[in-house]
Every structure is written in structure tokens, then in C-alpha cells.
Amino acid sequence: MQKAWQNFKANVPLRRTVVLAIIICVLYLSRSMMNTILLTFIFTYLIVHLVNLVKKHLPKLPSQVVVVATYLLLIALIYLGVTIYIPIISHQTVKMVHSVVEFYQNNDWDWIMKSVHHYVSNAELANQAKKGMGIVFHAVTGFGTLTVSIVMSLLLSFFYTIDLKDLHKFSQAFVNTGILKWFFQDVTYFGKKFVNTFGVVLEAQFLIAICNTVLTLIGLIVLHIPQILALGIIVFVLSLIPVAGVIISLIPLGIVSYTVGGIQYVFYIFIMIMIIHAIESYVLNPKLMASKTELPIFYTFVCLLVGEHFLGIWGLIVAVPIFTFLLDILGIKPVKTKKRIHLEKTGKLFK
């Protein structure tokens, strides 16, 4: 028995497979906390990178000062968003929906109205009302749960980054000592791989989403489309979905633009989205994706479908980074980090 245990610890591929299976099981059992886990990782990753960037230019500035200043600025932005911009965006969203409904009511859409009338007249109105109330209830409770998750994630990421050095020293004790140090060594291995793939790809996708949103808002301003703040939020959220997000944004943009300028404006929006998609594919992805996934379109869409099935909305955002992480640890397609790209160019990678 002792020899079998020693052989298991010496067999690194088998050992790491077991450790990865344990991590997946723990995450599956913690799926109700997935919002908090993912948001904590995202906030921590971005704040740590910001601290490192500031320390690079101002090495004498204490890290705690940078962390506290960053979170104070973040809290101020959240306060401004809640008190000023969220009411504006909510008003614009309601106004946008009202204008779209009013437009279609004032035009000849008899076939749609007949279909709606047929559906309503043959359905149980009580059940439909119950379903509608259920949707509203889930939306309200979901918003409250998301708010709690954001607050908890900010607190956890703050405590992590404010005491980063001591936390690292304490964590090293698990890796260097104890009968389970091999387990924590493998967890550390997967943690580093996860940060180098998931974190970098997700960061790049955020930057791409910001660029797509700015370009889209410029086009909407040129076309004099109303309620651009509400549309900007929609475009930003959809742009977090790799490849498909920009194309999906055609639906809300096309509906609103049709109410403003008819089929001509829909054509303008289509051309604009295609240009932005081309910029994302041929300019933003090569420049911003330091760990470029280079996945075929088919695999990307399969990842999105599977991710949405198991993780819901989060799956659309994190499916591709998770798949990239799995490809990396399996050795099928190592992620091209900046360091790896430099070693490949200089010919030192295989020496």
C-alpha cells in the first residue's frame, strides 16, 4: 500500500489528473457561488496588474497606497453610476422600448397582431400571468443576488491585494511543507496555468469589448440614434462574448435603427457592425490577445453553446478562456504568452 502511494505521488501526469478532477468537483459543488468566484478572480486579476503597472513606474510608492486609492476610486465610480447614470440608462431603456412598441403599433403589422391575438386567445391567461410574475420575481432576486456577489467580490479582492506579500508567504507554507505538499504544488501549477490563460484572455476580451463599444457609439452618434447610453451597455455586454457578440448586437441595434430611419438605417448599422467585426478580427485580436487563442470559428461556437448550457450567461463569457486553459494543460495548444512569443522569436524556446 505504501509503495502504491509513493508510485502515485511519483507519477506526475496521473497525480495532476486526479488533482484537476478534485478541483472541478469542488467548483461544481460551489456552482451556486460561481458569480462571486468569477468576479473575485476578475477584480483581483485586474487590480494586481494595475498595482504592478504603477509600481513599475513608481517603485517607491507602497502597494497598499495604490490598492486603497484604486478601491476608493472604484467606489466613487460605483456611487456615481448608481446615483446618476443608472437612472439615466433606465430611463433611456424604458423610452427606447416605448418608442419601438409605439413605432410598430403605428405601422401596418396586421400579421404580427393576428399571431399575438391567436396566441393570447388560445392560452390560459392565468398561467401566462403567473409565468410573467415569476420572470419578474426571478429578475428582481437575480439582481439582488448579483449585487451581493459584486460587494463580496470587491471585499475579497481588496483583502487579497492589500496584503499580497504576507498572503503569498503564508500560502507558500502549504507548498513547501506538510504531507500534502504535492497536492498544493499541483494546485499551484494549475493556478499559474489558469492565470496565464483564463486571466489574460479574459482581460484582452474586456479591452476588445471596450474598443467595440466606443466604435459602435461613435457610429450611433453619427447616425443620430437616440438612447445611446442604453445601447452602449447592451453592446458592451454582448461584446464580452467572443466572435458572436458583435454579430448578436445587430439584433437590438437593427430594431432601434429601423424605428429611426427604416431599412436604410438597418443597412447602415449592418455595414458598421461588419466594419467593427473586421477591425476586431484583423486588428484588435492580433494586438490585444497576447495569449491569442487562434481557435477555429466552429470550436468557438461549440464552446459558447456548451458554456451557456452549463454556466448560463457566464458560460458565454468564460467558455473560450476555459477551453483554452484545458488545451494548454493537455499540451494540445500551449497559450502564447508575451514571454513565450519573445522566446519563439529569439529562438530560445527550444534550447
Side-chain angles (χ1 to χ4, degrees), residues 250 253-255 257-258 261-271:
L250 262 174
L253 292 177
I255 293 173
S257 62
Y258 188 84
I263 195 66
Q264 183 179 4
Y265 267 48
V266 175
F267 178 75
Y268 292 154
I269 292 293
F270 177 80
I271 296 298

Side-chain angles (χ1 to χ4, degrees), residues 163-174:
D163 201 19
L164 192 58
K165 288 185 178 179
D166 292 338
L167 185 66
H168 179 71
K169 289 180 181 179
F170 183 80
S171 301
Q172 282 297 111
F174 292 92

Side-chain angles (χ1 to χ4, degrees), residues 9 28 48 55 75-77 86 88 107-108 124 168 174 204 240 250 272 287 294 317 328 338 345:
K9 291 195 294 183
Y28 178 77
V48 169
K55 290 287 289 182
I75 292 172
L77 291 175
I86 286 184
I88 294 175
N107 287 271
D108 188 17
E124 297 180 9
H168 179 71
F174 292 92
L240 293 175
L250 262 174
M272 181 185 72
K287 294 294 182 182
E294 296 179 343
I317 299 174
D328 191 16
K338 290 181 179 179
K345 288 182 178 179

Side-chain angles (χ1 to χ4, degrees), residues 198-266:
F198 186 96
V200 177
V201 172
L202 200 59
E203 178 189 19
Q205 193 60 43
F206 266 95
L207 293 174
I208 290 172
I210 292 172
C211 294
N212 286 342
T213 304
V214 171
L215 293 174
T216 303
L217 289 179
I218 291 173
L220 295 178
I221 292 172
V222 171
L223 293 174
H224 301 289
I225 302 294
Q227 292 87 42
I228 60 170
L229 282 179
L231 290 173
I233 296 296
I234 294 173
V235 171
F236 176 76
V237 173
L238 291 176
S239 295
L240 293 175
I241 304 172
V243 182
V246 178
I247 300 175
I248 296 173
S249 64
L250 262 174
I251 298 173
L253 292 177
I255 293 173
V256 175
S257 62
Y258 188 84
T259 63
V260 175
I263 195 66
Q264 183 179 4
Y265 267 48
V266 175

